[in-house]
């Protein structure tokens, strides 16, 4: 396996609106990020993926960009960006930017022009169609509920939007659009960026003729744009025209709906496309018929099978990105751990898993503290467009059981991840001196960075240790993956191996003691073993034993 800096790095995702406010307006900003870089350095991360900070009317918190080459006024200026980036680089932290180019804001000057007339030079930057039989051009729906088409009376046509009507899909079949985007990518690379996380990366190429999709509960039409006909030509072109100019660049595509087989087409070694992708299988298991607001419980064996499949499928052929949370997902400890009695143990256990798998780990802001899902009293407490739109449809469809929806939204809604970072126990958790744009999770009084920095046994210090260990351990990064007892509904057991070095990982996903049986070949060989890491007091002698609630233990052996 070829060694690369981005394979050995640990990434940290910043969602700027909620990270740190520096001027009291209640909104996080770039100066706030700069102020907290020593904290990130102390955690030990190597690179930051920064969610969008560009000019935007914020219909979807910045994933609707109206100027790709400028900073959102509330976040600061280009000079603030330069300073932040300089300060990151000074500390050896690289900066990966969010590239949101499936769509622009409807307030982007290209679209303002495009909608004016059918012969406007920008008309073809977007996807315009006549209605069909007095209705929409086709039956596709938006990922944020409702139809994927918006009518414009100016020209009596509809435009396509796979997300909100304020997120207008670009026409990637138009070579001028592609050139504009590559140009803009150069702009940021020349300013010093180190790479891109590509938003909605599997959806750029729409099937010719935009045929009707198979009707589904959600995302009708997706078979006609996910992994579309020209998607791989696009990435090969982007690679040739942009990436190749910057040999140190890292690229990661956010690819909803891809399988490991698809992943190898985007990010297989020698494909000349992307370095890695974010897959969604392990975070979609609870959805019923693809509907994220209708959840069902899952078994541990399903969760493990999902993760293990990727470990094996990409080994030696591609490279995984690993995540348990981001700004679109709830908090990991509330989802797969226990955010009450075993809060600390279970958060540590989950990150032991993340940092002992093959792939590049991404830690979402606040996860290093074990931040939890927040408290929602009613639908009025939600701000996220996805949740609110889905709720509207739910109510319009006359569903008389709001509790099912609300229960799902509280558990899985994106707002859970967007509450301000809890820096200390002062008013508004030290996030702002003003009124925060989003309510702080009330548990900040005891769950905060200041408290964890002072506590040697904190989640922060444990994750710091995991990061440091990973930096010293090629087997944790590159080793192959073998799972044991896949049917075990309490424990996740696997071994990582590289050139005679091994890590045997045992994770208890329950709040009860369980019996740990060490795989015969590991036990039998009477290997020299050492403790690699554990979230409980432990020695390093591999043996059959009991494993405590949410215990994680990793043995190093030869
Ligand atoms: C994925 C982003 O992560 C999400 O926050 C956004 O709503 C959609 N793409 C649309 O840009
Ligand atoms: Ca601010």
């Amino acid at each position: 396996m070829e060694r690369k800096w981005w394979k050995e790095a640990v990434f940290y995702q910043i969602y700027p609106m909620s990270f740190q406010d520096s001027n009291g307006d209640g909104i996080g900003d770039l100066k706030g990020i700069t102020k907290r870089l020593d904290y990130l350095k102390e955690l030990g991360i190597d690179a930051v993926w920064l969610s969008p900070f560009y000019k935007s009317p914020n219909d979807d918190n910045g994933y609707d960009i109206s100027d790709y080459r400028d900073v959102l006024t509330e976040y600061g200026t280009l000079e603030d960006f330069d300073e932040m980036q300089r300060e990151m680089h000074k500390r050896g932290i690289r900066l990966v930017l969010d590239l949101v180019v499936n769509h622009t804001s409807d307030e982007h000057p290209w679209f303002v022009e495009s909608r004016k007339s059918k012969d406007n030079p920008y008309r073809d930057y977007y996807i315009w169609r006549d209605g069909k039989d007095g209705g929409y051009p086709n039956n596709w729906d938006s990922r944020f509920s409702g139809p994927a088409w918006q009518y414009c009376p100016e020209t009596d046509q509809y435009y396509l939007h796979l997300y909100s009507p304020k997120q207008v899909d670009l026409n990637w079949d138009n070579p001028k659009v592609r050139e504009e985007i590559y140009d803009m990518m150069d702009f940021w690379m020349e300013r010093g960026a180190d790479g891109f996380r590509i938003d909605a990366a599997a959806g750029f190429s729409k099937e010719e003729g935009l045929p009707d999709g198979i009707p589904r509960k959600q995302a009708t039409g997706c078979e006609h744009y996910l992994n579309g006909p020209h998607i791989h030509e696009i990435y090969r072109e982007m690679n040739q025209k942009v990436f190749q100019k910057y040999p140190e660049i890292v690229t990661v595509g956010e690819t909803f709906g891809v399988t490991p087989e698809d992943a190898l087409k985007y990010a297989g070694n020698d494909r000349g496309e992307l370095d890695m992708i974010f897959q969604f299988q392990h975070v979609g298991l609870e959805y019923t018929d693809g509907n994220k607001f209708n959840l069902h419980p899952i078994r541990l064996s399903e969760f493990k099978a999902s993760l293990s499949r990727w470990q094996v499928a990409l080994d030696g052929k591609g490279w995984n990105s690993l995540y348990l949370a981001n700004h679109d997902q709830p908090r990991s400890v509330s989802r797969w751990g226990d955010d009450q009695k075993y809060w600390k143990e279970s958060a540590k256990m989950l990150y032991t898993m993340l940092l002992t798998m093959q792939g590049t780990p991404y830690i979402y802001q606040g996860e290093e503290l074990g931040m939890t899902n927040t408290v929602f009293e009613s639908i009025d407490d939600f701000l996220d467009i996805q949740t609110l739109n889905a709720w509207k449809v739910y109510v319009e469809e006359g569903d008389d059981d709001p509790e099912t929806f609300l229960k799902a939204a509280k558990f899985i809604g994106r707002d859970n991840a967007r509450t301000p970072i809890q820096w200390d126990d002062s008013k508004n958790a030290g996030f702002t001196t003003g009124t925060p744009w989003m309510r702080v999770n009330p548990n900040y009084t005891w769950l905060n960075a200041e408290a964890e920095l002072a506590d040697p046994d904190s989640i922060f210090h444990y994750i710091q240790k995991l990061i440091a260990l990973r930096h010293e351990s090629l087997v944790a990064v590159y080793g192959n993956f073998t799972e044991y007892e896949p049917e075990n509904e309490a424990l996740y057991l696997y071994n990582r191996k590289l050139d005679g070095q091994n890590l045997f990982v045992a994770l208890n996903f329950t709040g009860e003691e369980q019996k740990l049986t060490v795989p015969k070949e590991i036990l039998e060989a009477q290997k020299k073993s050492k403790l690699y890491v554990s979230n409980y007091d432990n020695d390093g002698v591999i043996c059959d034993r009991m494993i405590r609630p949410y215990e994680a233990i990793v043995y190093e052996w030869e």
Side-chain angles (χ1 to χ4, degrees):
M1 209 170 303
E2 202 189 337
R3 287 185 69 172
K4 293 276 186 196
W5 73 264
W6 45 263
K7 293 182 180 173
E8 295 172 25
V10 176
F11 282 64
Y12 184 91
Q13 183 194 350
I14 294 183
Y15 193 67
M17 201 173 279
S18 304
F19 193 65
Q20 174 71 68
D21 178 22
S22 72
N23 63 350
D25 67 355
I27 300 170
D29 45 52
L30 301 187
K31 277 194 158 48
I33 296 173
T34 306
K35 195 177 129 193
R36 292 295 184 181
L37 291 178
D38 286 335
Y39 168 85
L40 295 183
K41 186 69 200 160
E42 187 168 353
L43 181 59
I45 53 108
D46 307 281
V48 163
W49 150 28
L50 180 60
S51 275
F53 57 88
Y54 317 95
K55 282 242 170 359
S56 163
N58 279 330
D59 191 47
D60 185 19
N61 288 4
Y63 283 91
D64 49 316
I65 297 170
S66 53
D67 185 348
Y68 286 111
R69 297 172 191 238
D70 206 352
V71 175
L72 182 79
T73 314
E74 289 83 346
Y75 289 168
T77 62
L78 278 170
E79 287 65 46
D80 295 338
F81 172 88
D82 291 339
E83 191 198 3
M84 173 190 73
Q85 178 175 254
R86 235 184 356 257
E87 291 299 318
M88 284 183 180
H89 286 162
K90 238 196 240 169
R91 291 168 177 77
I93 298 173
R94 305 199 207 215
L95 176 59
V96 169
L97 305 184
D98 217 309
L99 184 73
V100 187
V101 290
N102 175 69
H103 42 266
T104 72
S105 165
D106 65 336
E107 298 179 30
H108 193 288
W110 298 340
F111 188 72
V112 172
E113 283 303 310
S114 186
R115 70 185 301 159
K116 283 184 182 162
S117 65
K118 287 187 178 170
D119 58 6
N120 188 284
Y122 289 92
R123 187 68 172 180
D124 227 18
Y125 272 45
Y126 298 89
I127 301 169
W128 292 96
R129 290 292 183 277
D130 291 325
K132 210 169 67 187
D133 313 322
Y136 299 109
N138 68 21
N139 72 347
W140 297 6
D141 53 34
S142 146
R143 313 208 67 110
F144 291 161
S145 311
W149 295 96
Q150 178 74 25
Y151 181 68
C152 276
E154 296 95 315
T155 53
D156 189 30
Q157 279 195 320
Y158 295 80
Y159 67 81
L160 180 71
H161 60 89
L162 294 181
Y163 295 88
S164 103
K166 289 185 69 64
Q167 294 168 296
V168 191
D169 277 59
L170 281 163
N171 175 15
W172 275 82
D173 288 333
N174 181 348
K176 277 201 239 153
V177 167
R178 302 202 299 272
E179 286 308 321
E180 296 258 23
I181 288 166
Y182 303 151
D183 222 51
M184 175 270 283
M185 293 170 80
D186 279 332
F187 170 84
W188 289 106
M189 287 308 293
E190 279 156 22
R191 238 185 152 89
D194 300 295
F196 297 103
R197 173 269 189 189
I198 307 177
D199 186 68
F204 298 175
S205 174
K206 281 79 177 170
E207 199 170 310
E208 213 181 291
L210 309 182
D212 277 337
I214 305 159
R216 304 170 199 265
K217 256 296 206 194
Q218 256 190 4
T220 295
C222 65
E223 67 275 24
H224 300 302
Y225 59 80
L226 287 182
N227 313 320
H230 303 295
I231 193 72
H232 297 292
E233 287 159 53
I234 291 173
Y235 288 118
R236 239 162 279 161
E237 183 180 83
M238 192 184 280
N239 189 305
Q240 279 157 17
K241 297 206 168 172
V242 186
F243 306 161
Q244 286 187 13
K245 290 190 277 192
Y246 314 101
E248 287 283 280
I249 195 175
V250 62
T251 57
V252 48
E254 188 227 19
T255 51
F256 173 81
V258 308
T259 62
E261 294 68 44
D262 301 325
L264 289 173
K265 296 188 186 146
Y266 287 99
N269 303 339
D270 309 323
R271 283 284 294 179
E273 297 189 23
L274 302 173
D275 292 327
M276 53 188 151
I277 56 118
F278 286 119
Q279 60 93 7
F280 281 66
Q281 294 191 325
H282 66 301
V283 292
L285 295 170
E286 304 107 324
Y287 300 2
T288 308
D289 300 329
N291 182 356
K292 97 178 245 182
F293 296 103
N294 183 356
L295 303 176
H296 61 271
I298 54 161
R299 293 190 313 272
L300 180 67
S301 56
E302 293 173 71
F303 181 68
K304 294 193 299 180
S306 180
L307 291 170
S308 300
R309 183 184 319 124
W310 283 86
Q311 289 291 296
V312 174
L314 266 52
D315 183 44
K317 301 184 187 147
W319 192 250
N320 272 302
S321 44
L322 309 167
Y323 70 98
L324 294 172
N326 59 40
H327 64 294
D328 296 329
Q329 302 292 334
R331 288 294 179 181
S332 66
V333 66
S334 301
R335 189 174 194 174
W336 296 297
D338 169 359
D339 63 10
Q340 304 290 317
K341 184 165 174 202
Y342 293 112
W343 164 70
K344 197 188 262 189
E345 292 81 357
S346 63
K348 290 179 177 178
M349 183 277 290
L350 287 166
Y351 276 84
T352 309
M353 174 179 82
L354 197 81
L355 282 126
T356 56
M357 283 193 157
Q358 191 190 74
T360 299
Y362 289 77
I363 300 173
Y364 179 63
Q365 64 182 33
E367 290 281 297
E368 76 281 13
L369 304 172
M371 277 178 64
T372 66
N373 278 358
T374 192
V375 183
F376 302 98
E377 307 290 347
S378 73
I379 192 69
D380 302 330
D381 286 343
F382 290 89
L383 299 175
D384 165 34
I385 182 170
Q386 182 185 56
T387 309
L388 293 174
N389 284 3
W391 169 252
K392 257 185 253 151
V393 171
Y394 193 80
V395 172
E396 274 160 20
E397 284 178 355
D399 259 294
D400 49 7
D401 175 25
E403 281 316 309
T404 304
F405 183 97
L406 282 176
K407 202 174 146 208
K410 284 179 189 178
F411 182 71
I412 210 130
R414 307 197 296 181
D415 284 324
N416 281 303
R418 300 179 179 185
T419 60
I421 292 302
Q422 297 163 205
W423 294 106
D424 57 41
D425 65 0
S426 69
K427 191 161 171 243
N428 301 318
F431 165 69
T432 180
T433 53
T435 308
W437 74 277
M438 184 178 195
R439 221 168 31 160
V440 176
N441 188 323
N443 63 15
Y444 76 95
T445 50
W446 59 269
L447 196 174
N448 61 65
E450 193 180 60
E452 296 210 20
L453 286 168
D455 171 11
D457 185 43
S458 64
I459 296 167
F460 179 94
H461 283 123
Y462 186 77
I463 292 183
Q464 179 188 52
K465 182 169 170 189
L466 286 168
I467 296 172
L469 281 166
R470 195 171 167 105
H471 284 149
E472 302 281 288
S473 159
L474 288 179
V475 58
V477 176
Y478 294 105
N480 67 16
F481 177 95
T482 308
E483 188 183 355
Y484 298 93
E485 297 186 41
E487 67 297 334
N488 191 320
E489 297 296 352
L491 305 181
Y492 197 7
L493 307 173
Y494 53 89
N495 192 71
R496 305 283 313 285
K497 181 181 175 74
L498 181 77
D499 306 328
Q501 282 298 113
N502 290 268
L503 294 178
F504 175 62
V505 181
L507 309 167
N508 183 354
F509 271 76
T510 74
E512 284 92 48
E513 261 201 358
Q514 306 286 345
K515 174 111 186 55
L516 167 63
T517 311
V518 177
K520 233 167 118 218
E521 61 271 31
I522 298 179
L523 197 59
E524 244 172 25
Q526 290 294 321
K527 309 292 177 189
K528 279 181 277 169
S529 68
K530 276 206 317 226
L531 185 67
Y532 178 81
V533 77
S534 176
N535 60 350
Y536 279 77
D537 273 341
N538 266 306
D539 65 28
V541 184
I542 298 186
C543 58
D544 288 347
R545 43 167 285 204
M546 297 306 285
I547 179 164
R548 288 157 284 188
Y550 292 102
E551 181 167 348
I553 181 156
V554 184
Y555 298 102
E556 212 177 325
W557 63 277
E558 285 172 22

